[in-house]
Amino acid sequence: HDKATGEGTTRSTQTDYKRSSKVAGKMKLLNAAILALAAFSSNNGNFAEAGNNNKKKKNAGSTKLKIKVTNLSYNQILSPFFAMSHGDLDTPIYTLGEPAPPNGLKELAEGGSTTVMAEFYKYDAMVVEQTMMVHPGESDYIYVKVTNNRPYVSMASMAISTNDCFVSVNSLKLKPGDTYFLPGLDSGTEVNNELCSHIPGPPCGGGAMTDGGEGFVHVHRGFHGIADLPANVYDWRNPMLRVQVYEA
């Protein structure tokens, strides 16, 4: 009787173990499916990134920043931004009190063009060029990746209803949570004659660029209504730009 009972107990134990193994196997498959679905959702439908250890190692030490720029002026539109992440630069976008460097600042500050600046920095930086203007009281977002080798961010945009006013983030180590209020700057490359023939933005549409400016980068004096446009419409008070930093 004891022997029969022992054999019955052994068979029952083996059956229970097999059932438990099957259940455990099914649970593993279910968990794997749930994890795969979660990875699919969190990676915007891209399974290739889910669980890719090489990808994680490659991105170690890098952060993608979401930078919100807000135009604080009353009636000055800001041109599409030039932005980049970089290491130490021999030629920053500008230095206050010094002449504008030959890095495309003149072309950006007088005409809103980022072409020369992007070409100048393309070997030393990770360059981003925006396509949207930022209107008064409105915001746009710029996405920049910073790394251990490129921890600094620089950005620039023209106030397009001026001769050569621009706003800029100049070689800053931005981090999520940062907020900056920045003034309008004068590139010092064009006389502030306020003539429509030299102002690219509305209502002018001029394209002429001149030499003979102040000769150094400084805080802009504003718009004074000395020629074709009224000061009460196109002047501003600093700060001209707010910059807020988030992790993307």
Side-chain angles (χ1 to χ4, degrees):
H1 180 74
D2 292 340
K3 183 177 180 181
T5 303
E7 289 176 352
T9 302
T10 300
R11 287 176 187 158
S12 176
T13 301
Q14 289 174 344
T15 301
D16 291 344
Y17 177 78
K18 289 179 181 178
R19 287 175 180 170
S20 297
S21 297
K22 288 181 180 179
V23 171
K26 289 180 180 179
M27 287 301 295
K28 285 181 180 179
L29 290 174
L30 180 60
N31 287 336
I34 293 172
L35 288 173
L37 181 60
F40 179 85
S41 301
S42 64
N43 286 296
N44 298 317
N46 186 359
F47 270 121
E49 291 186 9
N52 188 332
N53 292 327
N54 292 331
K55 179 99 175 174
K56 291 179 181 178
K57 289 178 182 178
K58 182 178 178 181
N59 288 338
S62 70
T63 302
K64 190 173 184 181
L65 299 177
K66 178 181 179 182
I67 303 171
K68 182 180 181 180
V69 290
T70 303
N71 184 344
L72 302 180
S73 73
Y74 169 64
N75 204 28
Q76 286 288 341
I77 300 170
L78 298 178
S79 68
F81 273 77
F82 168 88
M84 63 179 174
S85 62
H86 55 87
D88 293 325
L89 293 175
D90 292 332
T91 306
I93 287 184
Y94 73 90
T95 301
L96 281 173
E98 298 291 333
N103 62 350
L105 179 58
K106 173 182 170 67
E107 289 78 8
L108 182 142
E110 294 184 25
S113 173
T114 61
T115 303
V116 176
M117 190 169 283
E119 180 69 19
F120 184 89
Y121 287 113
K122 69 179 181 180
Y123 296 113
D124 300 316
M126 192 178 301
V127 172
V128 178
E129 293 179 85
Q130 297 294 97
T131 58
M132 299 295 293
M133 294 188 180
V134 185
H135 289 255
E138 296 184 2
S139 302
D140 195 12
Y141 292 91
I142 302 169
Y143 294 85
V144 177
K145 181 186 287 186
V146 294
T147 66
N148 291 334
N149 294 329
R150 291 172 174 168
Y152 300 102
V153 174
S154 291
M155 306 191 305
S157 168
M158 178 193 184
I160 64 174
S161 294
T162 68
N163 288 98
D164 61 345
C165 175
F166 72 103
V167 291
S168 179
V169 170
N170 197 24
S171 298
L172 292 179
K173 277 189 175 181
L174 299 182
K175 61 183 185 300
D178 285 351
T179 298
Y180 291 89
F181 292 88
L182 302 172
L185 301 172
D186 192 314
S187 67
T189 58
E190 182 173 285
V191 175
N192 293 331
N193 55 30
E194 300 183 7
L195 294 170
C196 265
S197 57
H198 295 79
I199 293 175
C204 296
M209 295 183 182
T210 65
D211 295 320
E214 298 83 357
F216 63 97
V217 179
H218 55 281
V219 176
H220 204 286
R221 297 166 305 218
F223 206 92
H224 297 283
I226 61 174
D228 296 332
L229 301 178
N232 67 324
V233 177
Y234 293 98
D235 194 21
W236 70 92
R237 295 293 178 270
N238 285 321
M240 198 174 205
L241 180 73
R242 182 177 65 210
V243 175
Q244 296 167 285
V245 186
Y246 307 90
E247 186 170 355

